[in-house]
Amino acid sequence: MTVFEAVVLGIVQGLTEFLPVSSSGHLVLANWFFGFDEGDGSLELAVDIATNTGTLLAVLIVLRQDVWQALSGFFRGLVSAEARLGEGWRLALLVLAGSIPTALLGLALRGVFHTLNAPFPVAIALAVTGLILWVAPKTGAKSTPATLTFKDALIAGVAQGLAVVPGISRSGATIATLLGRGCDGALAARFSFLLYLVASFGVALLGMTEVRAAEIPLAAVAAMTVASFVTGYLALVWLFRLLRRGRFRIFAPYLWTVSALTLVSLAFR
C-alpha cells in the first residue's frame, strides 16, 4: 500500500465513520472501485482497524466534556456513595450497559464481516441503512443523560452490535434507534459516540493481529491515521449541526444512489 492509497482510505474512513453512511461499507467499495486490494478482503479489515485510531482521537476531542464527566463520575463513584448520585456516575453506567450487547454481538458476528465483505452485500446493506435514516424521527424530548433509561442504552447497544455488518452504519443505526426512543438529536449523537469509544478500544485490541498480518508500512499507517483524524473531526462537527436542525435523513438518497451505482457496476463487470 502506498502513502497516497493510505491517505485516500483514511479520508474515506474519517468522513464515513461518523456520518451515517457506513465506514466499513465505503472502505469495501473504495478498495473495490480503486483496486487497492486484490486479495481476499483482509486489507479492508486491517485498514478499518488502523484508521480507527484517528477517528477515536476525533471523538475524544469533540466529546471531551462528556468523556471527562463519565470517567470522573465513574471513578469517584467507586469510592463515594454521594458521587453515585451524580450524573457522571449514571452516564458511565449507561455507557457500560450499552456496551455489553455490543460486545456480545460483535464477538458472535465477527465472522460476518469476512462473509459479507464484498460489493454486492454491501450495496444491499447501504440501501437498508438509507431506509433506517429515512424513517427515523427528527428529534425527541430527552435532552440530557439523566433522561436516558437503561433500556434505551441496551437497545442502542444492540443496534450498534448489529452494525458489524458492512454497509449498516454504526452511527446511523444507534442514532436512529435513540431518536426512536425519544432522544433529541444532540443527545442521540453524544451517547452514540460514547458507545463508539468503548467499542473502538475493543476493536483496536482485538484487531492488532489483522493489522500486523496485512503488513501495512508504518508511513501508510501514519498517513491513514492523520487523514482519518482530520476528516473525522470535521464530519463529527458537521453531523451535530445537521442533527440540531433535524436533517438526519438527508443522507438516505446518497446511500440509495451509491447502492444503485454499485449494483449497476456489478451487473456490467
Side-chain angles (χ1 to χ4, degrees):
M1 175 184 289
T2 67
V3 172
F4 172 74
E5 292 172 347
V7 170
V8 171
L9 293 176
I11 290 173
V12 171
Q13 169 75 5
L15 287 175
T16 59
E17 180 62 58
F18 303 130
L19 299 182
V21 295
S22 177
S23 60
S24 59
H26 276 72
L27 286 173
V28 170
L29 297 184
N31 279 307
W32 182 64
F33 277 113
F34 294 115
F36 291 164
D37 186 10
E38 300 297 335
D40 60 359
S42 61
L43 182 60
E44 286 100 331
L45 179 57
V47 168
D48 199 18
I49 293 166
T51 53
N52 178 69
T53 303
T55 51
L56 186 150
L57 290 173
V59 174
L60 285 174
I61 290 175
V62 174
L63 296 184
R64 57 190 179 276
Q65 293 181 340
D66 291 300
V67 172
W68 172 250
Q69 182 186 33
L71 287 176
S72 61
F74 177 75
F75 287 111
R76 285 201 302 266
L78 292 177
V79 297
S80 168
E82 183 179 353
R84 289 195 286 275
L85 300 176
E87 192 171 271
W89 171 258
R90 179 178 174 80
L91 178 59
L93 293 185
L94 286 167
V95 173
L96 290 175
S99 299
I100 292 172
T102 293
L104 294 176
L105 286 169
L107 290 172
L109 300 176
R110 199 177 183 196
V112 170
F113 192 106
H114 296 282
T115 304
L116 302 179
N117 199 34
F120 179 76
V122 165
I124 301 301
L126 289 176
V128 171
T129 296
L131 181 61
I132 292 171
L133 302 185
W134 191 258
V135 300
K138 290 185 177 182
T139 189
K142 299 177 182 178
S143 59
T144 66
T147 60
L148 278 175
T149 67
F150 283 95
K151 185 176 181 180
D152 294 334
L154 288 170
I155 292 175
V158 170
Q160 178 168 260
L162 293 175
V164 69
V165 176
I168 298 297
S169 167
R170 187 212 62 81
S171 64
T174 53
I175 292 173
T177 296
L178 289 165
L179 288 171
R181 295 290 302 172
C183 296
D184 70 6
L187 178 60
R190 286 163 57 201
F191 192 73
S192 170
F193 294 125
L194 288 174
L195 288 178
Y196 162 80
L197 282 176
V198 179
S200 182
F201 280 116
V203 167
L205 292 175
L206 294 173
M208 293 296 183
T209 54
E210 280 85 354
V211 176
R212 287 196 295 266
E215 298 181 349
I216 302 175
L218 182 59
V221 173
M224 279 191 289
T225 301
V226 173
S228 62
F229 166 73
V230 173
T231 54
Y233 178 86
L234 295 174
L236 198 53
V237 171
W238 185 43
L239 179 61
F240 272 97
R241 291 177 180 174
L242 289 174
L243 284 166
R244 282 195 292 269
R245 298 171 184 171
R247 301 182 63 190
F248 193 48
R249 63 166 56 179
I250 67 169
F251 296 98
Y254 165 77
L255 288 165
W256 293 329
T257 300
V258 172
S259 175
L261 289 175
T262 302
L263 292 175
V264 170
S265 298
L266 284 168
F268 286 96
R269 280 205 174 190

